[in-house]
Amino acid sequence: RYFLGLGHSFLEFPRELQIIDFSSDPDSGGPVLRAGTADGQAVTLEVTVYYQLEQASVVDLYRLYNLDYNQAFVRIAQAELKNVAVQFDTDAYFSRRADIANRMLNDVAKALRDVHATTQFVLLRNIGLPSSIETSLVAKIVAEQEKRTARFNREIAFVNAQTEVIRATANANITQINGEAKADANLIKEKGRAEGTQLVLRAEQEALGALQRELGFDTDQLYRYLWATRKLRVAPAKDTLIVGFDGANTLLNVAAAGGTAK
């Protein structure tokens, strides 16, 4: 308890957030703001300001306004908000609403700081325009949105077309690669077959050369020998085939499967 003496009392200053609400509510603290824009149009603004008193400076605040500081703050905030409103064109209230609210916060905060209060928030809750201006602005914004949508659709169509070109090119490359691979496989197969045939022929030539040397035949005698042996393989059993190799040092005397050779 404190004893202050007769006729004295404490003055109370709140610690919690205080509200200045410029709206149609008669108990809000201030009326709806009527302001002008940079291009000369009339607007109405519903704005809420949240502030706190600087506890360390309440004595200075009391010296400035006694206990009527809230009404003073309403006038200060009203003036700052209108000053900000006139810096923006009408269409900015639709396209740059956040920028306007941030400018209001900065300017109100600076003004209240000079009178020992800290601004916490400024909310730009509603913007009112003459119906004719609002209709015109909405049409303008819709037209701009349609332009952006059309541009976006063109970009999508272009990307899709490019994708199809890439896909077609890739498929063509795959077909070409497959064709070349098949051609290469056929070429390798034919080359292998030719090389095999060459090996067989070379082996036959070497075998015939060895046989010719062993029998002492000349080329003509060798061919006659080969002919005779083939005849023996196919001759009927009752037939007798007599073959002579003049000048050779070997005589053929081989029994055929069913016939006789002398």
Side-chain angles (χ1 to χ4, degrees):
R1 297 193 177 194
Y2 299 89
F3 179 73
L4 301 179
L6 295 176
H8 296 279
S9 63
F10 284 107
L11 300 178
E12 295 183 2
F13 291 86
R15 292 178 178 271
E16 63 272 10
L17 281 176
Q18 302 298 299
I19 298 175
I20 301 174
D21 192 19
F22 296 99
S23 71
S24 56
D25 184 352
D27 298 326
S28 62
V32 173
L33 294 178
R34 299 184 183 278
T37 64
D39 51 348
Q41 299 297 330
V43 294
T44 58
L45 305 174
E46 293 189 14
V47 185
T48 301
V49 178
Y50 296 84
Y51 72 90
Q52 279 181 303
L53 301 179
E54 295 178 356
Q55 297 300 309
S57 304
V58 291
V59 174
D60 296 326
L61 178 63
Y62 180 76
R63 289 171 179 166
L64 281 174
Y65 301 117
N66 203 324
L67 294 179
D68 297 328
Y69 57 86
N70 190 69
Q71 290 303 314
F73 290 173
V74 168
R75 292 191 297 270
I76 292 171
Q78 186 178 49
E80 295 299 330
L81 293 172
K82 288 185 176 182
N83 287 339
V84 172
V86 78
Q87 298 175 34
F88 291 88
D89 291 334
T90 307
D91 59 352
Y93 285 87
F94 284 88
S95 59
R96 299 175 56 195
R97 183 167 180 162
D99 292 340
I100 297 172
N102 287 333
R103 180 73 64 82
M104 287 178 172
L105 172 60
N106 292 335
D107 287 10
V108 171
K110 183 178 182 300
L112 292 185
R113 190 181 305 119
D114 293 338
V115 291
H116 313 296
T118 301
T119 306
Q120 301 294 346
F121 309 102
V122 171
L123 302 180
L124 179 56
R125 296 188 292 104
N126 190 38
I127 300 168
L129 296 170
S131 58
S132 59
I133 299 299
E134 185 170 354
T135 301
S136 175
L137 283 176
V138 169
K140 180 179 178 181
I141 292 171
V142 169
E144 184 62 29
Q145 183 62 41
E146 289 175 348
K147 288 181 181 178
R148 286 197 294 268
T149 301
R151 183 168 60 251
F152 179 71
N153 290 336
R154 288 196 299 271
E155 291 173 355
I156 291 177
F158 176 77
V159 171
N160 289 338
Q162 291 294 100
T163 302
E164 289 302 319
V165 170
I166 293 171
R167 182 181 294 112
T169 302
N171 290 336
N173 289 338
I174 291 172
T175 301
Q176 180 180 358
I177 291 170
N178 289 338
E180 292 175 353
K182 186 175 181 180
D184 289 343
N186 291 334
L187 179 61
I188 292 171
K189 186 186 297 181
E190 293 301 323
K191 184 177 180 182
R193 185 179 293 116
E195 291 177 351
T197 301
Q198 290 178 357
L199 289 174
V200 171
L201 291 175
R202 189 178 299 115
E204 288 182 348
Q205 289 175 355
E206 292 175 355
L208 290 175
L211 179 62
Q212 184 179 8
R213 289 190 297 272
E214 179 69 23
L215 297 177
F217 288 167
D218 59 21
T219 302
D220 182 62
Q221 290 172 329
L222 179 64
Y223 288 155
R224 289 168 61 191
Y225 171 80
L226 295 174
W227 176 82
T229 55
R230 279 194 288 270
K231 285 295 184 180
L232 285 173
R233 286 195 298 270
V234 300
K238 63 184 176 25
D239 290 349
T240 300
L241 181 64
I242 301 174
V243 180
F245 297 93
D246 297 336
N249 56 16
T250 302
L251 295 178
L252 179 65
N253 187 7
V254 181
T260 304
K262 295 183 180 178

